[in-house]
Coordinates of all heavy atoms in Angstrom, one line a residue:
M1480 N 0.8 -1.2 0.0 CA 0.0 0.0 0.0 C 0.9 1.2 0.0 O 1.7 1.4 0.9 CB -0.9 0.0 1.2 CG -1.7 1.2 1.4 SD -2.8 1.2 2.8 CE -1.8 2.1 4.0
K1481 N 0.7 2.1 -1.0 CA 1.5 3.3 -1.0 C 0.7 4.4 -0.4 O -0.6 4.4 -0.5 CB 1.9 3.7 -2.4 CG 0.7 4.0 -3.3 CD 1.2 4.5 -4.7 CE 0.0 4.9 -5.5 NZ 0.4 5.5 -6.8
L1482 N 1.3 5.3 0.3 CA 0.7 6.4 1.0 C 0.6 7.6 0.1 O 1.6 8.2 -0.2 CB 1.4 6.7 2.3 CG 1.2 5.7 3.4 CD1 2.0 6.1 4.6 CD2 -0.3 5.6 3.8
D1483 N -0.6 7.9 -0.4 CA -0.7 9.1 -1.1 C -1.9 9.9 -0.5 O -2.2 9.7 0.7 CB -1.1 8.8 -2.6 CG -2.3 8.0 -2.8 OD1 -2.9 7.6 -1.8 OD2 -2.7 7.7 -3.9
G1484 N -2.4 10.9 -1.1 CA -3.4 11.8 -0.5 C -4.7 11.0 -0.1 O -5.3 11.2 0.9
K1485 N -5.1 10.1 -1.0 CA -6.3 9.3 -0.7 C -6.1 8.3 0.5 O -7.0 8.2 1.3 CB -6.8 8.5 -1.9 CG -7.5 9.4 -3.0 CD -8.0 8.5 -4.1 CE -8.8 9.3 -5.0 NZ -9.4 8.4 -6.1
S1486 N -5.0 7.6 0.5 CA -4.8 6.7 1.6 C -4.6 7.4 2.9 O -5.0 6.9 4.0 CB -3.7 5.7 1.3 OG -2.5 6.4 1.1
G1487 N -3.9 8.6 2.9 CA -3.8 9.3 4.1 C -5.1 9.8 4.6 O -5.3 9.8 5.9
F1488 N -6.0 10.3 3.7 CA -7.3 10.7 4.2 C -8.1 9.5 4.7 O -8.9 9.6 5.7 CB -8.0 11.4 3.0 CG -9.4 11.9 3.4 CD1 -9.5 13.0 4.3 CD2 -10.5 11.4 2.8 CE1 -10.7 13.5 4.6 CE2 -11.8 12.0 3.2 CZ -11.8 13.0 4.1
A1489 N -7.9 8.3 4.1 CA -8.6 7.1 4.5 C -8.2 6.7 5.9 O -9.0 6.4 6.8 CB -8.4 6.0 3.6
I1490 N -6.9 6.8 6.2 CA -6.4 6.5 7.5 C -6.9 7.5 8.6 O -7.3 7.2 9.7 CB -4.8 6.5 7.5 CG1 -4.4 5.3 6.7 CG2 -4.3 6.5 8.9 CD1 -2.9 5.3 6.5
L1491 N -7.0 8.8 8.2 CA -7.6 9.8 9.0 C -9.0 9.5 9.4 O -9.5 9.6 10.5 CB -7.4 11.2 8.4 CG -8.0 12.4 9.2 CD1 -7.2 12.6 10.4 CD2 -8.1 13.6 8.3
L1492 N -9.8 9.1 8.4 CA -11.2 8.8 8.6 C -11.4 7.5 9.5 O -12.2 7.5 10.4 CB -11.9 8.5 7.3 CG -12.3 9.7 6.4 CD1 -12.9 9.3 5.1 CD2 -13.2 10.6 7.1
I1493 N -10.5 6.5 9.3 CA -10.6 5.3 10.2 C -10.2 5.7 11.6 O -10.9 5.3 12.5 CB -9.6 4.3 9.6 CG1 -10.1 3.7 8.3 CG2 -9.4 3.1 10.6 CD1 -9.1 2.9 7.5
G1494 N -9.2 6.5 11.8 CA -8.8 6.9 13.1 C -9.9 7.8 13.8 O -10.2 7.5 15.0
C1495 N -10.5 8.7 13.1 CA -11.6 9.5 13.7 C -12.8 8.6 14.0 O -13.4 8.7 15.1 CB -12.0 10.6 12.7 SG -10.8 11.9 12.6
G1496 N -13.1 7.7 13.2 CA -14.2 6.8 13.4 C -14.0 5.9 14.6 O -14.9 5.6 15.5
A1497 N -12.7 5.4 14.8 CA -12.4 4.6 15.9 C -12.5 5.4 17.2 O -12.9 4.9 18.2 CB -11.0 4.0 15.7
L1498 N -12.1 6.7 17.2 CA -12.2 7.5 18.4 C -13.6 7.7 18.8 O -13.9 7.8 20.0 CB -11.4 8.8 18.1 CG -9.9 8.7 18.2 CD1 -9.3 10.1 17.8 CD2 -9.4 8.3 19.5
I1499 N -14.5 7.9 17.8 CA -15.9 8.1 18.1 C -16.5 6.9 18.7 O -17.2 7.0 19.7 CB -16.7 8.5 16.8 CG1 -16.2 9.9 16.3 CG2 -18.2 8.5 17.0 CD1 -16.7 10.3 15.0
L1500 N -16.1 5.7 18.2 CA -16.6 4.5 18.7 C -16.1 4.2 20.1 O -16.9 3.8 21.0 CB -16.3 3.3 17.8 CG -17.1 3.1 16.6 CD1 -16.5 1.9 15.8 CD2 -18.6 2.8 16.9
L1501 N -14.8 4.5 20.4 CA -14.3 4.4 21.7 C -15.0 5.3 22.7 O -15.2 4.9 23.9 CB -12.8 4.6 21.7 CG -11.9 3.5 21.1 CD1 -10.5 4.0 21.0 CD2 -12.0 2.2 21.9
N1502 N -15.3 6.5 22.3 CA -16.0 7.4 23.1 C -17.4 6.9 23.4 O -17.9 7.1 24.6 CB -16.0 8.8 22.5 CG -16.5 9.9 23.4 OD1 -16.4 9.7 24.6 ND2 -17.0 11.0 22.9
K1503 N -18.1 6.3 22.5 CA -19.4 5.9 22.7 C -19.5 4.7 23.6 O -20.5 4.5 24.3 CB -20.1 5.5 21.4 CG -20.4 6.6 20.4 CD -21.3 7.6 21.0 CE -21.6 8.7 20.1 NZ -22.4 9.7 20.7
I1504 N -18.4 3.9 23.7 CA -18.4 2.7 24.6 C -17.9 3.1 26.0 O -17.7 2.3 26.9 CB -17.7 1.5 24.0 CG1 -16.2 1.8 23.8 CG2 -18.4 1.0 22.8 CD1 -15.4 0.6 23.4
G1505 N -17.5 4.4 26.2 CA -17.1 4.8 27.5 C -15.6 5.1 27.7 O -15.2 5.5 28.7
L1506 N -14.8 4.8 26.7 CA -13.4 5.1 26.8 C -13.1 6.4 26.1 O -12.9 6.5 24.9 CB -12.6 4.0 26.1 CG -11.1 4.0 26.2 CD1 -10.7 3.9 27.7 CD2 -10.4 2.9 25.4
N1507 N -13.0 7.5 27.0 CA -12.9 8.8 26.5 C -11.4 9.2 26.4 O -10.7 9.2 27.4 CB -13.6 9.8 27.4 CG -13.7 11.2 26.8 OD1 -13.2 11.4 25.7 ND2 -14.3 12.1 27.5
L1508 N -10.9 9.5 25.2 CA -9.5 9.8 25.0 C -9.4 11.3 24.6 O -8.4 11.7 24.0 CB -8.9 9.0 23.9 CG -8.9 7.5 24.1 CD1 -8.4 6.7 22.9 CD2 -8.1 7.2 25.3
G1509 N -10.4 12.1 24.9 CA -10.4 13.5 24.5 C -9.2 14.3 25.1 O -8.6 15.1 24.4
G1510 N -8.8 14.0 26.3 CA -7.6 14.7 26.9 C -6.3 14.4 26.2 O -5.5 15.3 25.9
L1511 N -6.2 13.1 25.8 CA -5.0 12.7 25.1 C -5.0 13.3 23.7 O -4.0 13.8 23.2 CB -4.9 11.2 24.9 CG -3.8 10.6 24.1 CD1 -2.5 10.9 24.8 CD2 -4.0 9.1 23.9
M1512 N -6.1 13.4 23.0 CA -6.2 13.9 21.7 C -5.9 15.4 21.7 O -5.5 16.0 20.7 CB -7.6 13.7 21.1 CG -7.8 12.2 20.8 SD -6.5 11.4 19.9 CE -6.7 12.1 18.3
G1513 N -6.2 16.1 22.8 CA -6.0 17.5 22.9 C -4.5 17.8 22.8 O -4.1 18.9 22.4
Y1514 N -3.6 16.8 23.2 CA -2.2 17.0 23.1 C -1.7 16.4 21.8 O -0.7 16.8 21.2 CB -1.5 16.4 24.3 CG -1.7 17.1 25.6 CD1 -2.6 16.7 26.5 CD2 -1.0 18.3 25.8 CE1 -2.8 17.4 27.7 CE2 -1.2 19.0 27.0 CZ -2.1 18.6 27.9 OH -2.3 19.3 29.0
L1515 N -2.3 15.3 21.3 CA -1.8 14.6 20.2 C -2.0 15.4 18.9 O -1.1 15.4 18.0 CB -2.5 13.3 20.0 CG -2.0 12.3 19.0 CD1 -0.6 12.0 19.3 CD2 -2.9 11.1 18.9
I1516 N -3.1 16.1 18.7 CA -3.4 16.9 17.5 C -2.3 18.0 17.3 O -1.8 18.1 16.2 CB -4.8 17.4 17.5 CG1 -5.8 16.3 17.5 CG2 -5.0 18.3 16.3 CD1 -5.8 15.4 16.3
P1517 N -2.0 18.8 18.3 CA -0.9 19.8 18.1 C 0.4 19.2 17.8 O 1.2 19.7 17.0 CB -0.9 20.6 19.4 CG -2.2 20.3 20.0 CD -2.6 19.0 19.6
I1518 N 0.7 18.1 18.4 CA 2.0 17.4 18.1 C 2.1 16.9 16.7 O 3.1 17.1 16.0 CB 2.3 16.3 19.1 CG1 2.5 16.8 20.5 CG2 3.4 15.4 18.7 CD1 2.6 15.8 21.6
V1519 N 1.0 16.4 16.2 CA 0.9 15.9 14.8 C 1.0 17.2 13.9 O 1.6 17.1 12.8 CB -0.4 15.1 14.5 CG1 -0.7 14.9 13.1 CG2 -0.4 13.8 15.3
M1520 N 0.4 18.3 14.3 CA 0.5 19.5 13.4 C 1.9 20.0 13.3 O 2.4 20.4 12.3 CB -0.4 20.6 14.0 CG -1.9 20.4 13.8 SD -2.9 21.7 14.6 CE -2.5 23.1 13.6
V1521 N 2.7 19.9 14.4 CA 4.1 20.3 14.4 C 4.8 19.4 13.5 O 5.7 19.8 12.7 CB 4.7 20.3 15.8 CG1 6.2 20.5 15.8 CG2 4.0 21.4 16.7
A1522 N 4.6 18.1 13.6 CA 5.3 17.1 12.8 C 5.0 17.3 11.3 O 5.8 17.3 10.4 CB 5.0 15.7 13.2
L1523 N 3.7 17.5 11.0 CA 3.3 17.7 9.6 C 3.8 19.1 9.0 O 4.2 19.1 7.9 CB 1.8 17.7 9.5 CG 1.1 16.4 9.6 CD1 -0.4 16.5 9.5 CD2 1.6 15.4 8.5
G1524 N 3.9 20.1 9.9 CA 4.5 21.4 9.5 C 6.0 21.2 9.2 O 6.5 21.7 8.2
Y1525 N 6.7 20.5 10.0 CA 8.1 20.2 9.8 C 8.3 19.4 8.5 O 9.1 19.7 7.7 CB 8.7 19.5 10.9 CG 10.1 19.1 10.8 CD1 11.1 20.1 10.9 CD2 10.5 17.8 10.5 CE1 12.4 19.8 10.7 CE2 11.9 17.5 10.3 CZ 12.8 18.5 10.4 OH 14.1 18.2 10.2
Y1526 N 7.4 18.4 8.3 CA 7.5 17.6 7.1 C 7.2 18.5 5.8 O 7.9 18.4 4.8 CB 6.5 16.5 7.1 CG 6.5 15.6 5.9 CD1 7.6 14.8 5.5 CD2 5.4 15.7 5.0 CE1 7.6 14.0 4.4 CE2 5.4 14.9 3.8 CZ 6.5 14.1 3.5 OH 6.5 13.4 2.4
G1527 N 6.2 19.4 6.0 CA 5.9 20.3 4.9 C 7.1 21.2 4.5 O 7.4 21.5 3.3
I1528 N 7.8 21.7 5.5 CA 8.9 22.6 5.3 C 10.0 21.8 4.6 O 10.7 22.3 3.7 CB 9.4 23.2 6.6 CG1 8.4 24.2 7.1 CG2 10.7 23.9 6.4 CD1 8.6 24.8 8.5
Q1529 N 10.2 20.6 5.1 CA 11.3 19.7 4.5 C 11.0 19.3 3.1 O 11.9 19.1 2.3 CB 11.5 18.5 5.3 CG 12.1 18.8 6.7 CD 13.5 19.4 6.6 OE1 14.3 19.0 5.9 NE2 13.7 20.4 7.5
S1530 N 9.7 19.2 2.7 CA 9.4 18.7 1.4 C 9.2 19.9 0.4 O 8.9 19.7 -0.8 CB 8.1 17.9 1.4 OG 7.0 18.7 1.8
G1531 N 9.5 21.1 0.8 CA 9.5 22.2 -0.1 C 8.3 23.1 0.0 O 8.2 24.2 -0.7
R1532 N 7.3 22.8 0.7 CA 6.1 23.7 0.9 C 6.3 24.5 2.1 O 5.7 24.3 3.2 CB 4.9 22.8 1.0 CG 4.6 22.0 -0.2 CD 3.4 21.2 -0.1 NE 3.1 20.6 -1.4 CZ 2.1 19.7 -1.5 NH1 1.3 19.4 -0.5 NH2 1.9 19.1 -2.7
K1533 N 7.2 25.5 2.0 CA 7.6 26.3 3.2 C 6.5 27.1 3.8 O 6.4 27.2 5.0 CB 8.8 27.1 2.8 CG 10.0 26.3 2.4 CD 11.2 27.2 2.2 CE 12.4 26.4 1.7 NZ 12.8 25.3 2.5
I1534 N 5.7 27.7 3.0 CA 4.7 28.6 3.5 C 3.6 27.8 4.3 O 3.3 28.1 5.5 CB 4.0 29.5 2.4 CG1 5.1 30.4 1.9 CG2 2.8 30.3 3.0 CD1 4.6 31.2 0.7
M1535 N 3.0 26.8 3.6 CA 2.0 26.0 4.3 C 2.6 25.2 5.5 O 1.9 25.2 6.5 CB 1.4 25.1 3.3 CG 0.2 24.4 3.7 SD -1.1 25.6 4.1 CE -2.4 24.6 4.6
G1536 N 3.7 24.7 5.3 CA 4.4 23.9 6.4 C 4.7 24.9 7.6 O 4.5 24.5 8.7
G1537 N 5.1 26.1 7.3 CA 5.4 27.0 8.4 C 4.1 27.5 9.1 O 4.2 27.6 10.3
I1538 N 3.0 27.6 8.4 CA 1.8 28.0 9.0 C 1.3 26.9 9.9 O 0.9 27.1 11.1 CB 0.7 28.4 8.0 CG1 1.1 29.7 7.2 CG2 -0.7 28.4 8.6 CD1 0.2 30.0 6.0
V1539 N 1.3 25.6 9.4 CA 0.9 24.5 10.3 C 1.8 24.3 11.5 O 1.3 24.1 12.6 CB 0.8 23.2 9.4 CG1 0.5 22.0 10.2 CG2 -0.3 23.4 8.3
L1540 N 3.1 24.5 11.2 CA 4.1 24.3 12.3 C 3.8 25.4 13.4 O 3.8 25.1 14.6 CB 5.5 24.4 11.8 CG 6.6 24.3 12.8 CD1 6.7 22.9 13.3 CD2 7.9 24.8 12.2
L1541 N 3.6 26.6 13.0 CA 3.4 27.8 13.9 C 2.1 27.6 14.7 O 2.1 27.8 15.9 CB 3.4 29.1 13.2 CG 3.2 30.3 14.0 CD1 4.4 30.5 14.9 CD2 3.0 31.5 13.2
L1542 N 1.1 27.1 14.0 CA -0.2 26.9 14.7 C -0.1 25.8 15.7 O -0.6 25.9 16.9 CB -1.3 26.6 13.7 CG -1.9 27.7 13.0 CD1 -2.9 27.2 11.9 CD2 -2.6 28.7 13.9
G1543 N 0.6 24.7 15.4 CA 0.8 23.6 16.3 C 1.6 24.0 17.5 O 1.3 23.7 18.7
I1544 N 2.7 24.9 17.3 CA 3.5 25.3 18.4 C 2.7 26.2 19.3 O 2.7 26.1 20.6 CB 4.7 26.0 17.9 CG1 5.7 25.0 17.3 CG2 5.4 26.9 19.0 CD1 6.9 25.6 16.6
L1545 N 1.9 27.1 18.7 CA 1.0 28.0 19.6 C 0.0 27.2 20.4 O -0.2 27.6 21.6 CB 0.3 29.0 18.7 CG 1.2 30.1 18.1 CD1 0.5 31.0 17.1 CD2 1.9 31.0 19.2
I1546 N -0.6 26.2 19.8 CA -1.5 25.4 20.5 C -0.9 24.7 21.7 O -1.4 24.6 22.8 CB -2.3 24.4 19.6 CG1 -3.2 25.2 18.6 CG2 -3.1 23.5 20.4 CD1 -3.7 24.4 17.5
L1547 N 0.3 24.1 21.4 CA 1.1 23.4 22.4 C 1.5 24.4 23.6 O 1.5 24.0 24.7 CB 2.3 22.7 21.9 CG 2.1 21.4 21.2 CD1 3.4 20.9 20.6 CD2 1.6 20.4 22.2
I1548 N 1.9 25.6 23.3 CA 2.2 26.6 24.3 C 1.0 26.8 25.2 O 1.1 26.9 26.4 CB 2.7 27.9 23.7 CG1 4.1 27.7 23.1 CG2 2.7 29.0 24.7 CD1 4.7 28.8 22.4
G1549 N -0.2 26.9 24.6 CA -1.4 27.1 25.3 C -1.7 25.9 26.2 O -2.2 26.0 27.3
K1550 N -1.5 24.7 25.7 CA -1.7 23.4 26.4 C -0.8 23.3 27.6 O -1.1 22.8 28.7 CB -1.6 22.2 25.5 CG -2.6 22.1 24.4 CD -3.9 21.6 25.0 CE -4.9 21.5 23.8 NZ -6.2 21.1 24.3
F1551 N 0.5 23.7 27.4 CA 1.5 23.6 28.5 C 1.7 24.8 29.3 O 2.7 25.0 29.9 CB 2.8 23.1 27.9 CG 2.8 21.7 27.4 CD1 3.0 21.4 26.1 CD2 2.6 20.7 28.3 CE1 3.0 20.1 25.7 CE2 2.6 19.3 27.9 CZ 2.8 19.0 26.6
S1552 N 0.7 25.8 29.2 CA 0.9 27.0 30.0 C 1.0 26.8 31.5 O 1.7 27.5 32.2 CB -0.3 28.0 29.6 OG -1.5 27.4 30.0
W1553 N 0.3 25.7 32.0 CA 0.4 25.4 33.4 C 1.8 25.1 33.8 O 2.3 25.4 34.8 CB -0.6 24.3 33.8 CG -0.3 23.0 33.1 CD1 -0.7 22.6 31.9 CD2 0.5 22.0 33.6 NE1 -0.2 21.4 31.6 CE2 0.5 20.9 32.6 CE3 1.3 21.8 34.7 CZ2 1.3 19.8 32.7 CZ3 2.0 20.6 34.9 CH2 2.0 19.6 33.9
L1554 N 2.5 24.4 32.9 CA 3.9 24.0 33.2 C 4.8 25.2 33.1 O 5.7 25.3 33.9 CB 4.3 22.9 32.2 CG 5.6 22.2 32.4 CD1 5.7 21.5 33.7 CD2 5.9 21.2 31.3
I1555 N 4.5 26.1 32.2 CA 5.4 27.3 32.0 C 5.2 28.1 33.3 O 6.2 28.7 33.8 CB 5.0 28.0 30.8 CG1 5.4 27.2 29.5 CG2 5.7 29.4 30.7 CD1 4.8 27.7 28.2
G1556 N 4.0 28.2 33.8 CA 3.7 29.0 35.0 C 4.4 28.4 36.2 O 5.0 29.1 37.0
I1557 N 4.5 27.1 36.3 CA 5.2 26.4 37.4 C 6.7 26.7 37.3 O 7.4 27.0 38.3 CB 4.9 24.9 37.5 CG1 3.4 24.7 37.9 CG2 5.8 24.2 38.4 CD1 3.0 23.2 37.8
A1558 N 7.2 26.6 36.1 CA 8.7 26.9 35.9 C 9.0 28.3 36.3 O 10.1 28.5 36.9 CB 9.0 26.6 34.4
I1559 N 8.2 29.2 35.9 CA 8.4 30.7 36.3 C 8.4 30.8 37.8 O 9.2 31.5 38.4 CB 7.4 31.6 35.5 CG1 7.8 31.6 34.0 CG2 7.5 33.0 36.1 CD1 6.7 32.3 33.2
A1560 N 7.4 30.2 38.4 CA 7.3 30.3 39.9 C 8.5 29.7 40.6 O 9.1 30.3 41.5 CB 6.0 29.6 40.4
I1561 N 9.0 28.6 40.1 CA 10.2 28.0 40.7 C 11.4 28.9 40.5 O 12.2 29.1 41.4 CB 10.4 26.6 40.1 CG1 9.3 25.6 40.7 CG2 11.8 26.0 40.5 CD1 9.3 24.3 40.0
A1562 N 11.5 29.4 39.3 CA 12.7 30.3 39.0 C 12.6 31.6 39.9 O 13.7 32.0 40.4 CB 12.6 30.7 37.5
M1563 N 11.4 32.1 40.1 CA 11.3 33.3 41.0 C 11.7 32.9 42.5 O 12.4 33.7 43.1 CB 9.9 33.8 41.0 CG 9.5 34.5 39.7 SD 7.8 34.9 39.5 CE 7.6 36.1 40.8
I1564 N 11.3 31.7 42.9 CA 11.7 31.3 44.3 C 13.2 31.1 44.4 O 13.8 31.6 45.4 CB 10.9 30.0 44.6 CG1 9.5 30.3 44.8 CG2 11.5 29.4 45.9 CD1 8.6 29.0 44.9
V1565 N 13.8 30.5 43.4 CA 15.3 30.2 43.5 C 16.0 31.6 43.4 O 17.0 31.8 44.1 CB 15.7 29.3 42.3 CG1 17.2 29.2 42.2 CG2 15.1 27.9 42.6
Y1566 N 15.6 32.5 42.5 CA 16.2 33.8 42.4 C 16.1 34.6 43.7 O 17.1 35.2 44.2 CB 15.6 34.5 41.2 CG 16.3 35.9 41.0 CD1 17.6 35.9 40.5 CD2 15.6 37.0 41.2 CE1 18.2 37.2 40.3 CE2 16.2 38.3 41.0 CZ 17.5 38.3 40.5 OH 18.1 39.5 40.3
G1567 N 14.9 34.6 44.3 CA 14.7 35.3 45.6 C 15.5 34.7 46.7 O 16.1 35.4 47.5
A1568 N 15.6 33.4 46.7 CA 16.4 32.7 47.8 C 17.9 33.1 47.6 O 18.6 33.3 48.6 CB 16.2 31.2 47.8
S1569 N 18.4 33.1 46.3 CA 19.8 33.4 46.1 C 20.0 34.9 46.5 O 21.1 35.2 46.9 CB 20.2 33.1 44.7 OG 19.5 34.1 43.8
M1570 N 19.1 35.8 46.3 CA 19.2 37.2 46.7 C 19.3 37.3 48.2 O 20.1 38.1 48.7 CB 18.1 38.0 46.2 CG 18.1 38.3 44.7 SD 16.7 39.2 44.0 CE 16.9 40.7 44.9
L1571 N 18.5 36.5 48.9 CA 18.6 36.5 50.4 C 19.9 36.0 50.9 O 20.4 36.4 51.9 CB 17.4 35.8 51.0 CG 16.1 36.4 50.9 CD1 15.0 35.5 51.4 CD2 16.1 37.8 51.6
K1572 N 20.4 34.9 50.3 CA 21.7 34.4 50.7 C 22.8 35.3 50.5 O 23.8 35.2 51.3 CB 22.0 33.1 50.0 CG 21.2 31.9 50.5 CD 21.4 30.6 49.7 CE 22.8 30.0 49.7 NZ 22.8 28.7 49.0
G1573 N 22.7 36.2 49.5 CA 23.8 37.1 49.3 C 25.0 36.5 48.7 O 26.1 36.6 49.3
T1574 N 24.9 35.7 47.7 CA 26.0 35.0 47.1 C 27.0 35.9 46.5 O 28.1 35.5 46.2 CB 25.5 34.0 46.1 OG1 24.8 34.7 45.1 CG2 24.6 33.0 46.7
G1575 N 26.7 37.2 46.4 CA 27.7 38.1 45.8 C 27.6 38.3 44.3 O 28.3 39.1 43.8
R1576 N 26.8 37.5 43.7 CA 26.6 37.6 42.3 C 25.5 38.7 42.0 O 24.5 38.8 42.7 CB 26.2 36.3 41.6 CG 27.2 35.3 41.6 CD 26.8 34.1 40.9 NE 25.8 33.4 41.6 CZ 25.2 32.3 41.2 NH1 25.6 31.7 40.1 NH2 24.3 31.7 42.0
T1577 N 25.7 39.5 41.0 CA 24.8 40.5 40.6 C 24.2 40.1 39.2 O 24.9 39.6 38.4 CB 25.4 41.9 40.5 OG1 26.4 41.9 39.6 CG2 25.8 42.3 41.9
Y1578 N 22.9 40.3 39.1 CA 22.3 39.9 37.8 C 21.8 41.1 37.1 O 21.4 42.0 37.5 CB 21.1 39.0 38.1 CG 21.4 37.6 38.7 CD1 21.3 37.4 40.0 CD2 21.9 36.6 37.9 CE1 21.6 36.2 40.6 CE2 22.3 35.4 38.4 CZ 22.1 35.2 39.8 OH 22.4 34.0 40.3

């Protein structure tokens, strides 16, 4: 089986149908799909850039990255909070370094 536009669309339809059926029987994968779709967008955008479709690949890549930043904003907030605590503690210790 060669992968062209029709077979790729067929695989997409099969995957969407399987997810709908799994949701109907009680196995909800919506949270996982919320992260999987942007990751696939980033991969497809990168593939598009590599295959010579720089504008379309760049748009898909940028959208995927922006969606992932939104999904991981809680993690970014935690990292900023930890950095602020470490920086404040180092200022109180008076290590002698100036930033």
